[in-house]
Every structure is written in C-alpha cells, then in structure tokens.
Amino acid sequence: MSKIIQAFLAGVLFTFILDFFLFLGIKLNYIDTNNIDVYYNILFADNQNIFLYAIVSFLFGFLIIYANHKLSISTAIVFTLLASSTLISPIGHKAGEILLMKKNVTLHDDKYSYHGDIYYNGRKSIAFYDYELKKVIILKKNRLKETSK
C-alpha cells in the first residue's frame, strides 16, 4: 500500500510541475497576447480535469519511481520539454487555441446576436471575437440567453 501512495505522491508532484509550465506558456502566449483579463491561478484551477490528473499522476509516479532508471529519466525529460515548449510563443498560442478557443459560435442576449469565436470562457464573462466588429469583446455570462453552434 505504501508503494501506491509513494508513487501517487511523486506523480502528483511531477504532474503539477508539468501542468504549471503548460499553463504558464498558455497564459503568456495566448491569454496575454489576446489581452484577456484573467489571473493565472483562475486559469490553472478552472481548466483542470481531476480524473485525468489523478490517472496521469499514478502513471508518472510508477514510471518515475519503479521503472528502469533510463526509461524514467528519458520519459521525464521528454514530458518536461513538451510541457515547457509552450513557453515558445507559437506553440503556446496554438496550445491555448486548442484548449480554450471555440470557433464559429453564436451567442445571444436580450438585444443582440453575436457570431464569432470564443477566446476564453471564464467564470463570469466570455472573451469573444466578433466577426462583424472585428475585435474582441467581453460578454457577461448572466446576460446571455443561449449558446449554439
């Protein structure tokens, strides 16, 4: 039982470090370049999948602690390089688009209909690129009626 807990805790630490660099690259190269007002902690917390995180933590933990040292070191290096590659501007921007952007969406409120891309769907507002206005606008979620594609 202690081996399972030890592997899980080591995996949680390693996965947290990878997650940190992944979301740091997205924050610097996607969120900040699109002038979206969101704190890093909110971005990090709101976009986690706890089940996926737990599974990946177990896998990395067992791999790092109990696998062959050459395999565990090379795997750790490869995944660290992949996660930190989001610090490179085009890669971080593309990762942000893949994880956060929804293209060709129509949103409605009491008066208007908006057609464009959702850049970031936050807790209380949505950063939305409107095709007609050709700029990013902030829409309050509580004023929107429906979301459709």
Side-chain angles (χ1 to χ4, degrees):
M1 185 67 163
S2 66
K3 283 187 175 187
I4 293 173
I5 294 171
Q6 186 180 24
F8 180 69
L9 291 176
V12 165
L13 179 64
F14 183 68
T15 306
F16 180 78
I17 293 168
L18 295 180
D19 248 10
F20 172 80
F21 282 109
L22 175 75
F23 282 102
L24 180 63
I26 290 171
K27 170 79 167 99
L28 294 174
N29 298 309
Y30 179 76
I31 297 292
D32 290 347
T33 57
N34 289 320
N35 295 322
I36 300 169
D37 188 28
V38 63
Y39 291 110
Y40 176 80
N41 293 345
I42 294 171
L43 173 71
F44 187 82
D46 287 354
N47 293 289
Q48 295 296 320
N49 182 334
I50 191 68
F51 301 112
L52 180 63
Y53 189 85
I55 291 168
V56 170
S57 293
F58 268 118
L59 292 175
F60 277 138
F62 277 105
L63 185 68
I64 289 171
I65 293 181
Y66 299 114
N68 181 354
H69 290 297
K70 288 181 182 178
L71 176 66
S72 64
I73 290 172
S74 61
T75 303
I77 290 171
V78 166
F79 279 99
T80 302
L81 289 174
L82 285 173
S84 60
S85 70
T86 60
L87 296 172
I88 300 169
S89 185
I91 296 171
H93 190 75
K94 188 64 175 174
E97 285 180 354
I98 291 169
L99 291 174
L100 303 174
M101 182 184 274
K102 292 180 184 160
K103 294 188 177 210
N104 201 20
V105 175
T106 302
L107 301 175
H108 305 279
D109 65 9
D110 290 335
K111 297 180 183 179
Y112 302 105
S113 180
Y114 306 97
H115 186 70
D117 300 331
I118 294 177
Y119 277 14
Y120 180 73
N121 192 350
R123 292 180 179 178
K124 295 180 181 178
S125 62
I126 296 174
F128 187 81
Y129 179 82
D130 192 284
Y131 292 154
E132 290 180 22
L133 297 174
K134 296 185 176 155
K135 70 177 188 173
V136 176
I137 57 175
I138 304 299
L139 303 172
K140 301 288 182 193
K141 280 185 163 182
N142 59 358
R143 297 183 70 196
L144 297 175
K145 287 188 173 181
E146 63 183 75
T147 304
S148 62
K149 283 196 174 188

